[in-house]
DNA sequence: GTCTATACTTAGATAGAC
DNA sequence: GTCTATCTAAGTATAGAC
C-alpha cells in the first residue's frame, strides 16, 4: 500500500523533506520487492517509481540489501501486526476467534497486497535469511503463539476435534493466501472470473470461513 | 527433480551427447528458476550447475527466455500432469476422489519441489505471462475441469454441502501447497520442527485430508 | 538533501577456434 | 557439440557539484 505522506511529498516536486523522501523510497521499494524479490529488484526502478534518483536510495539506505531489510521490517511490524490484531482474539470463544482470524488475514492480504508476495519471495529466494530475525523475535513468537493457543483451547473445550495445531495454522494460512498468490496464474485458467473484485474477495472470505470451521469442528461433543 | 539421464551424461565428462546435455541444462535451469524466477536467475549459474559453459545454453535454447519456457512446459506437461493423474479420479465416489486428489497433490509437491516455486514466481514476477499458453491449453482446461466436476458431482449426490467449486479448488490447493512454499520462513517460527521430513509430510497429507473432507462434507444428507 | 556523472561489476549474448 | 574469448547492456554503488 502506498503511504499518503510518500505520494504527497513527491508529487509536490523538489520539496526537501527527508522523512517524506524516505517513506516514498520505502513505498516504491515495497512494490518492487513484492513483484521481484530481493535479487531481481532493481534500484533503478525503485528510484524511477519514487521520482528521485538512485543516489538518494544509497544516501538513505546505504545498500539495496539494507533497503530490503527496512521494507521487510516495516511491512511485518508496521503493517501486518497492526492489521491482524491477534491479541484481541484471545478472549473470544475459539470458533469466533478462528472466524475473525480468517477474515482479518484475508482483509490484510487484500489491503496490503505486497505482504504475501514479499514473504514468499523471501522464503524461496533467500530461504528466509533476512526474515529470520523478524520471525524469531519475541513479538512474532508471542503473536503466532496466540493462534496455536486458540486451536488448543478449542480442543480442550471440546468444540474443535483433535488437530495438529501447527499443521492447522499452515493450512488455514494457505487457504487464505493462495487465492492472492496464485491469482495471476488462475486468471488464465478461469477466464472471465473477476477473482480480485471486492465481491469475490468477500466470497473468498466466506468460503474459507465455512470450509475451515466445518473442517475443525468437533462432531461428537462430550456430554 | 534431477533427471537421471542428465546427471549421468554430465558426470561421465566430455561425452558428446546432445540429448543428455539438453536435459542436464533443463534440470539445472529448473532448480535455478525455482529459486529465483525468470528475472533473477542467472545463465552463468545454470551453466555452472550443469557442468557446461554458458555458450551451450544459447546453442540449445537461444535465450534465457526460451529456456524458461522450455522448463515451464516440461514441468507442467511432463511432470505435473503425469503425476497428478486426474483422469483416474473421475470414476471414483466424490469423497474418495477428493482424498486421492489431495494426497497426490502433496506427493507431487514433495517429489517435484521445483513445481510450486516455479508457478509462484511466474505468477508474481511475470503475472503468468509465460504460463498463459500452458494454462489456457485444452489439456489444462480439461484436466482442471475434472476437479471442478468432482466437487459438483459431490454436491449433486448430496455428500458435499453447497460449495463454490472454484473457491474450493483454490482453497484445497492452498492448504496443500502453502506448507512447502512457506517452509523456509516457518522454520524460524517453529524452530526444531522438521517440517520437510517424510514423516511430517505424511502428517501434513493426513491433516489436509481430514480438514478438507470434514470441511466439505454434507451434515444434513437428503432422505 | 538532491542531482549529475561516472567507476565498477556482473550478466546476457555472440564469434570463432577446436 | 563444446569451449574460450569477448562484446555489450544493465545494474550496484560512489564522488562531487549544487
Amino acid at each position: 500500500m502506498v503511504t499518503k505522506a510518500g505520494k504527497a511529498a513527491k508529487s509536490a516536486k523538489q520539496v526537501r523533506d527527508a522523512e517524506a523522501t524516505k517513506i516514498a523510497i520505502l513505498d516504491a521499494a515495497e512494490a518492487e520487492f513484492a513483484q521481484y524479490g530481493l535479487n531481481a529488484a532493481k534500484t533503478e526502478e525503485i528510484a524511477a517509481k519514487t521520482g528521485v534518483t538512485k543516489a538518494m536510495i544509497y544516501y538513505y539506505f546505504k545498500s539495496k540489501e539494507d533497503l530490503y531489510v527496512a521494507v521487510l521490517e516495516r511491512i511485518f511490524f508496521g503493517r501486518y501486526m497492526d492489521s491482524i490484531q491477534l491479541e484481541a482474539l484471545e478472549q473470544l470463544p475459539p470458533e469466533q476467534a478462528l472466524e475473525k482470524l480468517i477474515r482479518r488475514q484475508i482483509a490484510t492480504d487484500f489491503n496490503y497486497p505486497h505482504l504475501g508476495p514479499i514473504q514468499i519471495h523471501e522464503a524461496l529466494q533467500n530461504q528466509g535469511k533476512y526474515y529470520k530475525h523478524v520471525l524469531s523475535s519475541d513479538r512474532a513468537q508471542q503473536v503466532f503463539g496466540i493462534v496455536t493457543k486458540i486451536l488448543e483451547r478449542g480442543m480442550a473445550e471440546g468444540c474443535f476435534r483433535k488437530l495438529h495445531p501447527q499443521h492447522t495454522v499452515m493450512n488455514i494460512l494457505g487457504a487464505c493466501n493462495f487465492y492472492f498468490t496464485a491469482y495471476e496464474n488462475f486468471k488464465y485458467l478461469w477466464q472471465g472470473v473477476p477473482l480480485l473484485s471486492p465481491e469475490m474477495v468477500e466470497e473468498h472470505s466466506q468460503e474459507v470461513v465455512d470450509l475451515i470451521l466445518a473442517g475443525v469442528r468437533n462432531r461428537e461433543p462430550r456430554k
Side-chain angles (χ1 to χ4, degrees), chain A residues 72-86 101 104-106 108-109 112 115-116 119 131 135 139 143-144 147 173 177:
Chain A
L72 271 190
E73 290 178 351
R74 187 181 71 153
I75 207 164
F76 185 82
F77 292 116
R79 302 264 190 274
Y80 182 70
M81 285 300 205
D82 287 354
S83 180
I84 199 76
Q85 289 275 13
L86 287 178
L101 169 68
R104 282 204 195 138
Q105 177 67 41
I106 291 171
T108 304
D109 286 339
Y112 302 104
L115 175 67
Q119 292 174 326
Y131 216 41
L135 287 183
R139 181 102 181 83
V143 162
F144 278 98
V147 183
L173 288 178
N177 294 349

Side-chain angles (χ1 to χ4, degrees), chain A residues 157-208:
Chain A
E157 293 178 13
C159 57
F160 293 165
R161 62 180 176 79
K162 193 158 174 287
L163 303 158
H164 283 94
Q166 288 166 333
H167 284 284
T168 307
V169 169
M170 296 192 89
N171 294 339
I172 292 171
L173 288 178
C176 291
N177 294 349
F178 188 78
Y179 186 87
F180 299 97
T181 307
Y183 155 73
E184 297 283 356
N185 287 335
F186 275 81
K187 73 181 180 198
Y188 295 118
L189 198 60
W190 292 327
Q191 292 159 27
V193 182
L195 292 171
L196 279 193
S197 67
E199 296 76 28
M200 281 294 276
V201 172
E202 176 50 36
E203 220 175 87
H204 171 51
S205 292
Q206 192 59 49
E207 281 290 315
V208 176

Side-chain angles (χ1 to χ4, degrees), chain A residues 59-167:
Chain A
Y59 174 72
Y60 283 108
F61 295 97
K62 210 186 96 194
S63 69
K64 187 171 90 159
E65 211 177 345
D66 283 10
L67 172 58
Y68 179 68
V69 171
V71 167
L72 271 190
E73 290 178 351
R74 187 181 71 153
I75 207 164
F76 185 82
F77 292 116
R79 302 264 190 274
Y80 182 70
M81 285 300 205
D82 287 354
S83 180
I84 199 76
Q85 289 275 13
L86 287 178
E87 283 91 345
L89 305 179
E90 277 193 291
Q91 312 309 327
L92 295 175
E95 295 203 52
Q96 273 182 47
L98 195 53
E99 171 164 358
K100 273 219 163 167
L101 169 68
I102 290 165
R103 293 196 187 277
R104 282 204 195 138
Q105 177 67 41
I106 291 171
T108 304
D109 286 339
F110 189 59
N111 291 328
Y112 302 104
H114 301 144
L115 175 67
I118 284 178
Q119 292 174 326
I120 289 170
H121 276 133
E122 172 59 13
L124 296 181
Q125 291 193 3
N126 313 318
Q127 292 79 52
K129 179 178 152 193
Y130 298 94
Y131 216 41
K132 175 177 173 158
H133 74 281
V134 171
L135 287 183
S136 48
S137 68
D138 288 351
R139 181 102 181 83
Q141 298 275 336
Q142 175 218 341
V143 162
F144 278 98
I146 292 175
V147 183
T148 312
K149 266 186 242 162
I150 290 171
L151 296 172
E152 281 165 352
R153 193 151 49 84
M155 289 190 278
E157 293 178 13
C159 57
F160 293 165
R161 62 180 176 79
K162 193 158 174 287
L163 303 158
H164 283 94
Q166 288 166 333
H167 284 284

